[in-house]
Amino acid sequence: MTSLADDDPRPAVLRAIDQLERLAARLTPEHLDGASVLPGWETRKLISHIVGDIHRIAYVGEGGRSRDVAAMAGNIADDDWADALRRARARAAAAWADDAKLGQSYSVTWGEATGVMALRGIVMELGTHTWDLAQSVDPEADLDAELGAVALAAARQIAPADRRVPGGPFGPVQPVPAGAGIYDQLAGWLGRKV
């Protein structure tokens, strides 16, 4: 999958959303109201951000600028998060269906990027938030390791350790235990304590 994602990250994006949908289907009101691993964020805010991120990348594929759209969903019923992800997935798939979009330039949160790079960025984002959400729902969830490797490769390219700035979206790389799984490695790379 890594080589496929290098040339065309759209399948990885859709696979990441599918994995998140499966986790979201397990959310309970208790999960939603509980704390997430992101300081100051309950799980409801985290899943809202995830759905918003997917709508944001869809908007970019439709020709918009990512900063024009909040990376948060509106009011979603407690039992509708999986369906909200499914709807966002359909929008993103439609927005990026044209192969020509992969080589075009887009305005994303970190600057200008080709469609390929913008989509690699969302693979990184969704992979990381998969780990975040799993910590709330099921820390032992069996996550797609191949997809996690694609997300980690994207993270190393987009968010190299030597370009972190104080107050930026990613903290310093955190150590992970020897033999850590790919999602733990991804979380540590992007500054989460594992």
Side-chain angles (χ1 to χ4, degrees):
M1 179 171 196
T2 302
S3 62
L4 175 64
D6 287 343
D7 297 333
D8 183 353
R10 293 173 297 184
V13 171
L14 299 179
R15 195 161 148 178
I17 298 169
D18 292 343
Q19 178 170 245
L20 281 161
E21 183 185 330
R22 289 189 297 275
L23 277 174
R26 298 172 58 190
L27 285 169
T28 65
E30 292 76 25
H31 291 134
L32 290 165
D33 292 334
S36 79
V37 295
L38 301 178
W41 283 36
E42 72 280 350
T43 302
R44 182 182 317 279
K45 185 173 182 178
L46 170 61
I47 190 72
S48 176
H49 173 66
I50 293 167
V51 172
D53 268 346
I54 298 165
H55 280 291
R56 180 185 262 184
I57 198 66
Y59 181 71
V60 168
E62 295 162 352
R65 298 177 331 154
S66 65
R67 291 196 182 271
D68 292 346
V69 178
M72 290 290 181
N75 295 322
I76 308 288
D78 286 357
D79 62 354
D80 196 32
W81 288 106
D83 285 338
L85 283 161
R86 194 171 303 118
R87 292 186 296 272
R89 181 194 193 279
R91 181 180 179 193
W96 290 96
D98 183 353
D99 292 346
K101 291 183 176 185
L102 296 177
Q104 294 174 3
S105 183
Y106 297 92
S107 176
V108 293
T109 55
W110 68 86
E112 292 296 311
T114 63
V116 167
M117 285 306 296
L119 293 171
R120 283 184 190 156
I122 199 67
V123 169
M124 174 190 79
E125 179 86 359
L126 296 178
T128 307
H129 288 321
T130 295
W131 182 87
D132 296 335
L133 186 61
Q135 302 315 295
S136 296
V137 176
D138 179 4
E140 301 302 317
D142 184 23
L143 302 177
D144 184 335
E146 189 177 28
L147 183 60
V150 172
L152 180 57
R156 288 183 171 147
Q157 181 180 17
I158 294 167
D162 62 347
R163 286 199 243 151
R164 308 289 170 93
V165 295
F170 309 113
V173 174
Q174 297 296 310
V176 296
I182 196 74
Y183 283 88
D184 286 345
Q185 293 174 49
L186 174 62
W189 183 262
L190 294 176
R192 276 122 166 113
K193 295 194 185 303
V194 177

